[in-house]
Amino acid sequence: MPYVRCNGPPAPRPWLTPMNLRPSSLLAGLLCLLTAPLALRAANPIITDVFTADPAALVHNGVAYIYTGHDEAVVGQNAYKMKDWLCFSSTDMVNWKAHPSPLKLTDFAWANSDAWAGHVVERNGKFWWYVPMYHRSIPGFSIGVAVSDSPTGPFKDARGSALITNNMTTDVSIFWDDIDPAVFIDDDGQAYLFWGNTKCRYIKLKENMIETEGAITTLNTLPMYTEAPWVHKRNGLYYLTYATEWPERLGYATGPSINGPWTYRGVFKGYARNCGTNHHAIIEFKGRDYLVYHNGGLPTGGDYRRSVCVDYLNYNPDGTIQVVTESTTSVDAVPLVHNTGPGRLTNISVRSFAGTAEQNLIAGFIIAGAGRKEVLMRGVGPTLAGFGVRGELADPSLRVVTPDAKLEYGNNDNWGGDAFLKASASSLRAFTLPDSSKDAALQLSLPTGPTTALISGAANGTGVALVECYDATPDNTATSLRNVSGRAYVGGGDEVLIAGFVISGNTPLRVLIRGTGPALAPLGVPGTLADPQIRLHNSDSVVIASNDNWGGTAELSAAFRSVEAFDLPADSSDAAMIATLQPGLYTVILSGVGESRGVALVEVYALP
């Protein structure tokens, strides 16, 4: 995300509070604000300290779990060496926690070798892991099932014997046709086990999940089927995705029921990087769809030393899957979106250049409602380097004050690994700060009304810093964040002004968004942006609304008055719009028409 540097002389400027405009000698100078939640992005592969392969994925109680095979072949060894399975979990799809191996080949007395691709599913409070292994006494691969009371295990053999054995599928001469199990539980509660190399097969599972029911069905109509089936359902349509051809790509078919008929739709992912196989999983997590897959992308990686990756999965309006291109940057962190209560703002953050005195980084926000609101405030500098931010502020100091700076609510310089702050940040899914870092943090109980957060550099330091404001009690809807605003110099190219916000709740929120430049000049702000334009992006980075010149409409004028925002001349080139938004992450980008430059203000208000 670009940051905005202050340009222009350090002459006195008025501080633009969310409610109105007031001069303040303490807040003199251009207030360089860039308001947006910091987009943390993982890198692909997502696990780099061990080789992981053949992912399955599960979402349970707001946590994403990825279950993988474990490639242990040494460099130059052209054969799979796999003796156990691994488990990783995340609450944001970026930070992955490794758990002790929950299942090993030796947990199955009947198995001989080859802990290959498995699948985990939850039913009736228990977790069932279906895994293929080479059988000790029946030649060929067989499929077993393990069970646990926890998604992270430990798991144990649920049967004491294989569920599917190679002598049940004699129409294929190879010994590895009974691999790659995938379980799907339909809306009526009926569970199905899909599996197979060369031919795709499925069979019903009984309620106990360790016995089959009825005959095996073989799907002979899937074009170019190789292996690795995965079944999911979306908007009433069934999807059967699978590895196709060799080297493998990912293709898919759709059908009106679990029994088809299946209509082939084509290939939606190409060849895996540095790897012939193409095993995958598909999950929906907190409003986004994800494709989990493997490739040979790590140094010394390859066919037998694979690594799990994650990318977004998108659909067209007709339900077809958009082509997925492997990325090296993976996905953004899932924002903190609570799905209970009315729609409301729950997180804002500002990132920009920060220094001392007139170069303080400043964020303004309003708390509305009855009573006080607990907020976690953080001023981050050194830790940004770990996310690829260059020129970070080495030692940020954080102050939280009233807009006139006459009252200080709290301050911090070096957070010191405080246990309470660490627990609070973890519960809010904020990224981790090292205990010994010189980042700043504090948690405060603030009254309703406008508040200002200032970041400065200790010892006259300068650099890029991030100020964050988290609603620490997001389920307390009696009080909430109502507004975020930022003012900065807008230049050409990437020097745009960005406001980001998170909407939580289970209902839409109506918001007023403004981008002002010309209207600031009568308020004493010099060098204003002559013609601002605003674009609203959703979490897919798709522009969903925009405005250039607000037009003086009666609806917008009424909205200004309802939140006590200062008026805009009806014929001004300022921008404004109203949007009704579902819970999620949004970004407003303010730029100058025709690469124009100047000081601008961006504001986002939750409308009553």
Short mmCIF file of all heavy atoms in Angstrom, two decimals, residues 430-462:
data_model
loop_
_atom_site.label_atom_id
_atom_site.label_comp_id
_atom_site.label_asym_id
_atom_site.label_seq_id
_atom_site.Cartn_x
_atom_site.Cartn_y
_atom_site.Cartn_z
N ALA A 430 -5.35 -9.38 15.31
CA ALA A 430 -4.34 -8.42 14.87
C ALA A 430 -3.02 -9.16 14.68
O ALA A 430 -2.72 -10.12 15.39
CB ALA A 430 -4.17 -7.32 15.91
N PHE A 431 -2.21 -8.72 13.73
CA PHE A 431 -0.94 -9.40 13.50
C PHE A 431 -0.03 -9.24 14.73
O PHE A 431 -0.15 -8.28 15.49
CB PHE A 431 -0.25 -8.91 12.23
CG PHE A 431 0.12 -7.46 12.22
CD1 PHE A 431 1.35 -7.04 12.69
CD2 PHE A 431 -0.76 -6.51 11.73
CE1 PHE A 431 1.71 -5.71 12.68
CE2 PHE A 431 -0.41 -5.17 11.71
CZ PHE A 431 0.81 -4.76 12.19
N THR A 432 0.86 -10.19 14.90
CA THR A 432 1.68 -10.27 16.11
C THR A 432 2.80 -9.25 16.10
O THR A 432 3.48 -9.04 15.09
CB THR A 432 2.28 -11.68 16.24
OG1 THR A 432 1.21 -12.63 16.29
CG2 THR A 432 3.12 -11.81 17.50
N LEU A 433 3.01 -8.61 17.25
CA LEU A 433 4.17 -7.75 17.47
C LEU A 433 5.19 -8.52 18.30
O LEU A 433 4.84 -9.09 19.34
CB LEU A 433 3.78 -6.47 18.21
CG LEU A 433 2.71 -5.58 17.58
CD1 LEU A 433 2.44 -4.37 18.49
CD2 LEU A 433 3.14 -5.11 16.20
N PRO A 434 6.45 -8.55 17.91
CA PRO A 434 7.47 -9.20 18.75
C PRO A 434 7.55 -8.53 20.12
O PRO A 434 7.42 -7.32 20.24
CB PRO A 434 8.76 -8.99 17.95
CG PRO A 434 8.32 -8.78 16.53
CD PRO A 434 7.01 -8.07 16.64
N ASP A 435 7.76 -9.34 21.15
CA ASP A 435 7.80 -8.81 22.52
C ASP A 435 8.83 -7.71 22.68
O ASP A 435 8.64 -6.75 23.43
CB ASP A 435 8.09 -9.93 23.52
CG ASP A 435 6.93 -10.89 23.68
OD1 ASP A 435 5.87 -10.64 23.07
OD2 ASP A 435 7.07 -11.89 24.41
N SER A 436 9.95 -7.85 22.01
CA SER A 436 11.05 -6.90 22.19
C SER A 436 11.03 -5.74 21.20
O SER A 436 11.94 -4.91 21.19
CB SER A 436 12.39 -7.63 22.06
OG SER A 436 12.51 -8.22 20.77
N SER A 437 9.99 -5.67 20.37
CA SER A 437 9.95 -4.62 19.36
C SER A 437 9.73 -3.25 19.99
O SER A 437 9.22 -3.14 21.11
CB SER A 437 8.85 -4.90 18.33
OG SER A 437 7.58 -4.52 18.85
N LYS A 438 10.05 -2.22 19.27
CA LYS A 438 9.83 -0.85 19.73
C LYS A 438 8.50 -0.28 19.24
O LYS A 438 8.28 0.93 19.28
CB LYS A 438 10.99 0.04 19.29
CG LYS A 438 12.30 -0.30 19.98
CD LYS A 438 13.39 0.70 19.67
CE LYS A 438 14.66 0.37 20.45
NZ LYS A 438 15.73 1.36 20.21
N ASP A 439 7.61 -1.15 18.80
CA ASP A 439 6.26 -0.71 18.44
C ASP A 439 5.53 -0.27 19.71
O ASP A 439 5.90 -0.64 20.83
CB ASP A 439 5.51 -1.85 17.76
CG ASP A 439 6.21 -2.35 16.51
OD1 ASP A 439 6.31 -1.58 15.55
OD2 ASP A 439 6.66 -3.51 16.51
N ALA A 440 4.47 0.51 19.53
CA ALA A 440 3.71 1.04 20.65
C ALA A 440 2.30 0.46 20.64
O ALA A 440 1.74 0.19 19.57
CB ALA A 440 3.65 2.56 20.58
N ALA A 441 1.72 0.29 21.83
CA ALA A 441 0.35 -0.22 21.92
C ALA A 441 -0.21 0.11 23.29
O ALA A 441 0.52 0.17 24.29
CB ALA A 441 0.31 -1.73 21.69
N LEU A 442 -1.51 0.33 23.34
CA LEU A 442 -2.22 0.48 24.61
C LEU A 442 -3.70 0.26 24.37
O LEU A 442 -4.20 0.39 23.24
CB LEU A 442 -1.97 1.85 25.24
CG LEU A 442 -2.57 3.11 24.61
CD1 LEU A 442 -2.52 4.26 25.63
CD2 LEU A 442 -1.80 3.54 23.36
N GLN A 443 -4.40 -0.16 25.41
CA GLN A 443 -5.84 -0.35 25.33
C GLN A 443 -6.50 0.65 26.28
O GLN A 443 -6.10 0.79 27.43
CB GLN A 443 -6.25 -1.78 25.69
CG GLN A 443 -7.74 -2.04 25.46
CD GLN A 443 -8.05 -3.50 25.18
OE1 GLN A 443 -7.30 -4.15 24.45
NE2 GLN A 443 -9.12 -4.01 25.74
N LEU A 444 -7.54 1.34 25.78
CA LEU A 444 -8.17 2.42 26.51
C LEU A 444 -9.68 2.28 26.52
O LEU A 444 -10.26 1.71 25.58
CB LEU A 444 -7.80 3.78 25.88
CG LEU A 444 -6.32 4.14 25.80
CD1 LEU A 444 -6.13 5.36 24.91
CD2 LEU A 444 -5.76 4.39 27.19
N SER A 445 -10.28 2.85 27.54
CA SER A 445 -11.73 3.00 27.58
C SER A 445 -12.03 4.46 27.26
O SER A 445 -11.71 5.36 28.05
CB SER A 445 -12.27 2.63 28.96
OG SER A 445 -13.67 2.86 29.03
N LEU A 446 -12.62 4.71 26.09
CA LEU A 446 -12.79 6.08 25.61
C LEU A 446 -14.26 6.50 25.66
O LEU A 446 -15.15 5.68 25.43
CB LEU A 446 -12.28 6.20 24.17
CG LEU A 446 -10.78 5.96 23.97
CD1 LEU A 446 -10.45 6.05 22.49
CD2 LEU A 446 -9.95 6.94 24.77
N PRO A 447 -14.51 7.79 25.90
CA PRO A 447 -15.89 8.27 25.88
C PRO A 447 -16.38 8.45 24.46
O PRO A 447 -15.59 8.43 23.50
CB PRO A 447 -15.77 9.62 26.59
CG PRO A 447 -14.39 10.09 26.25
CD PRO A 447 -13.55 8.84 26.23
N THR A 448 -17.67 8.64 24.31
CA THR A 448 -18.21 8.92 22.98
C THR A 448 -17.72 10.29 22.52
O THR A 448 -17.38 11.16 23.31
CB THR A 448 -19.73 8.88 23.01
OG1 THR A 448 -20.21 9.80 24.00
CG2 THR A 448 -20.23 7.49 23.34
N GLY A 449 -17.70 10.46 21.20
CA GLY A 449 -17.24 11.71 20.61
C GLY A 449 -15.97 11.51 19.81
O GLY A 449 -15.48 10.38 19.65
N PRO A 450 -15.38 12.61 19.30
CA PRO A 450 -14.18 12.50 18.45
C PRO A 450 -12.91 12.27 19.27
O PRO A 450 -12.77 12.78 20.37
CB PRO A 450 -14.15 13.85 17.73
CG PRO A 450 -14.84 14.78 18.66
CD PRO A 450 -15.90 13.99 19.35
N THR A 451 -12.01 11.50 18.71
CA THR A 451 -10.72 11.20 19.34
C THR A 451 -9.64 11.26 18.28
O THR A 451 -9.88 10.98 17.10
CB THR A 451 -10.74 9.80 19.99
OG1 THR A 451 -11.75 9.75 20.99
CG2 THR A 451 -9.40 9.46 20.62
N THR A 452 -8.43 11.61 18.70
CA THR A 452 -7.30 11.73 17.79
C THR A 452 -6.16 10.84 18.29
O THR A 452 -5.85 10.83 19.48
CB THR A 452 -6.80 13.18 17.71
OG1 THR A 452 -7.87 14.00 17.22
CG2 THR A 452 -5.61 13.30 16.77
N ALA A 453 -5.54 10.12 17.37
CA ALA A 453 -4.34 9.33 17.67
C ALA A 453 -3.17 9.90 16.90
O ALA A 453 -3.28 10.16 15.70
CB ALA A 453 -4.56 7.87 17.31
N LEU A 454 -2.05 10.12 17.59
CA LEU A 454 -0.86 10.70 16.98
C LEU A 454 0.33 9.76 17.12
O LEU A 454 0.59 9.23 18.20
CB LEU A 454 -0.50 12.04 17.64
CG LEU A 454 -1.57 13.13 17.68
CD1 LEU A 454 -2.32 13.10 19.01
CD2 LEU A 454 -0.93 14.49 17.49
N ILE A 455 1.05 9.58 16.03
CA ILE A 455 2.30 8.80 16.03
C ILE A 455 3.45 9.75 15.70
O ILE A 455 3.42 10.48 14.71
CB ILE A 455 2.26 7.69 14.98
CG1 ILE A 455 1.16 6.69 15.28
CG2 ILE A 455 3.61 6.98 14.91
CD1 ILE A 455 1.42 5.82 16.46
N SER A 456 4.47 9.73 16.54
CA SER A 456 5.67 10.52 16.27
C SER A 456 6.89 9.61 16.41
O SER A 456 6.81 8.51 16.96
CB SER A 456 5.77 11.69 17.25
OG SER A 456 5.83 11.24 18.59
N GLY A 457 8.02 10.06 15.91
CA GLY A 457 9.24 9.28 15.99
C GLY A 457 10.09 9.69 17.17
O GLY A 457 10.37 10.88 17.37
N ALA A 458 10.47 8.71 18.00
CA ALA A 458 11.37 9.00 19.12
C ALA A 458 12.73 9.45 18.59
O ALA A 458 13.16 9.02 17.51
CB ALA A 458 11.51 7.77 20.00
N ALA A 459 13.38 10.31 19.34
CA ALA A 459 14.71 10.81 18.98
C ALA A 459 14.72 11.42 17.58
O ALA A 459 15.66 11.24 16.80
CB ALA A 459 15.75 9.70 19.08
N ASN A 460 13.62 12.12 17.26
CA ASN A 460 13.49 12.81 15.97
C ASN A 460 13.52 11.87 14.78
O ASN A 460 13.88 12.27 13.66
CB ASN A 460 14.57 13.89 15.81
CG ASN A 460 14.45 14.99 16.83
OD1 ASN A 460 13.34 15.42 17.15
ND2 ASN A 460 15.58 15.44 17.37
N GLY A 461 13.16 10.62 15.01
CA GLY A 461 13.14 9.65 13.92
C GLY A 461 12.00 9.90 12.95
O GLY A 461 10.96 10.47 13.30
N THR A 462 12.18 9.49 11.71
CA THR A 462 11.14 9.59 10.69
C THR A 462 11.04 8.26 9.95
O THR A 462 11.99 7.47 9.93
CB THR A 462 11.44 10.71 9.69
OG1 THR A 462 12.67 10.43 9.03
CG2 THR A 462 11.53 12.07 10.38
#
